[in-house]
Amino acid sequence: MELKRRKEMKNKSAFLLLVIFFLFHLIPGSAIHSTLAQNDHHDLVAVEMPLYETFLNKNKETILNRIGAGAFPSWSPDGSLIAFTRGRWNIRAHWWYSYDIYTIHPDESNEKCLTCNKKELAHTRWRGQPHWHPNGDYIVFTAETSKYPRKGNGTSHRPGLGRNHNIWIMKSDGSKFWQVTDYPDNWGSIRPGFSHDGKTLYWNEEFSMEKYPEGKHGDHHPGSFWGWENFTYRKGEELGAWRIKLADITFEDESPSI
């Protein structure tokens, strides 16, 4: 009985740690990430959830304006636009909630959804984590495929956690879309971006399905559990097995190719 009680306490502790991790990354106001773009006049800093604009002058913060709710902000190369992920209740969306990519001017004007109701994305669900190409003409992002069922309450499928997300590229005005990867079920991808010269595409890939196609140590569960079970059955990889992927990319005839 004592051994069973200790095991239950251990599992509860592991689950609590996972909950804290999710809260830290997903609850508004708890996740702080910043990106920086520069022009001839000032630096622009975006802070996630809520989304702020800060003007810096000689390392002194002079103005701080809240310009809307969002996450994973990314500044356009010329500093004129901010691309970001927004979550909102949507009765027409899968599970009545959607994540999409928006742009907005730093003065709060011309907010635009780039990924809402696009036929090219009809077989996707949640989309997010935009990052600009250095030439300003393209944005890379992740989108969850609708080919596979969700796990549990869907937390692991949110942008930034990335279960069953693929890498996509779109024109920066949302007029054209290209799917870059097509992962099998239970893989994942997060944090895509471009190198400074725009010639390399990179992202983080969850590859437990490659490491454990038949499970690990007899658990018979292929890949990652994407949940508290990882704390019991994937020691050292509690949050998944991640690696950085790199690919050369070109834009011949305005279409991305890797």
Side-chain angles (χ1 to χ4, degrees):
M1 291 294 293
E2 179 65 19
L3 182 62
K4 182 178 179 181
R5 187 183 69 84
R6 290 182 179 180
K7 185 176 181 181
E8 290 177 350
M9 289 295 294
K10 186 176 181 180
N11 288 339
K12 288 180 179 179
S13 297
F15 178 72
L16 180 60
L17 286 173
L18 189 61
V19 169
I20 292 173
F21 170 79
F22 286 148
L23 289 176
F24 182 78
H25 281 76
L26 300 173
I27 298 301
S30 63
I32 303 298
H33 304 269
S34 64
T35 55
L36 176 66
Q38 296 179 324
N39 61 28
D40 293 337
H41 304 291
H42 50 252
D43 297 334
L44 301 177
V45 180
V47 182
E48 291 183 14
M49 304 188 89
L51 192 64
Y52 288 91
E53 174 194 19
T54 306
F55 290 85
L56 300 180
N57 183 12
K58 296 182 180 179
N59 298 320
K60 181 180 180 181
E61 180 182 296
T62 57
I63 302 175
L64 179 63
N65 295 322
R66 176 169 176 159
I67 62 173
F72 305 111
S74 178
W75 289 88
S76 61
D78 63 2
S80 65
L81 281 173
I82 306 166
F84 63 99
T85 305
R86 168 170 287 174
R88 61 188 177 91
W89 291 107
N90 181 356
I91 61 173
R92 296 182 178 180
H94 188 75
W95 287 13
W96 305 290
Y97 202 80
S98 63
Y99 287 96
D100 278 292
I101 296 170
Y102 291 72
T103 55
I104 192 172
H105 287 289
D107 64 0
E108 307 178 49
S109 65
N110 297 324
E111 182 178 309
K112 177 183 178 181
C113 182
L114 301 182
T115 57
C116 296
N117 305 316
K118 295 300 177 73
K119 62 180 181 179
E120 297 92 338
L121 301 176
H123 59 288
T124 67
R125 296 186 184 117
W126 288 343
R127 308 125 190 171
Q129 299 200 297
H131 186 277
W132 294 80
H133 188 272
N135 67 14
D137 292 336
Y138 301 91
I139 293 175
V140 63
F141 64 101
T142 71
E144 177 199 4
T145 180
S146 62
K147 290 193 298 185
Y148 308 118
R150 282 183 173 166
K151 171 183 169 61
N153 63 7
T155 296
S156 61
H157 298 259
R158 296 184 182 187
L161 295 178
R163 184 175 189 264
N164 286 337
H165 275 244
N166 281 297
I167 305 300
W168 284 72
I169 293 175
M170 64 176 159
K171 292 286 288 185
S172 57
D173 61 358
S175 60
K176 293 183 179 180
F177 296 84
W178 298 270
Q179 184 174 347
V180 177
T181 65
D182 187 13
Y183 286 112
D185 189 16
N186 210 42
W187 286 66
S189 60
I190 60 174
R191 292 292 189 177
F194 295 104
S195 60
H196 292 298
D197 62 6
K199 296 180 179 180
T200 302
L201 174 67
Y202 61 84
W203 67 95
N204 290 280
E205 174 187 83
E206 208 293 323
F207 66 108
S208 293
M209 290 295 289
E210 180 181 305
K211 292 189 69 175
Y212 313 116
E214 305 297 331
K216 181 181 179 182
H217 302 318
D219 60 44
H220 304 295
H221 185 284
S224 174
F225 287 87
W226 294 90
W228 65 267
E229 299 94 337
N230 271 16
F231 285 84
T232 299
Y233 301 108
R234 298 290 184 270
K235 296 294 184 180
E237 297 172 336
E238 288 85 357
L239 302 180
W242 295 89
R243 63 188 176 191
I244 298 174
K245 299 286 286 187
L246 302 172
D248 295 332
I249 187 166
T250 59
F251 293 89
E252 296 181 8
D253 300 322
E254 296 189 350
S255 297
S257 177
I258 65 170

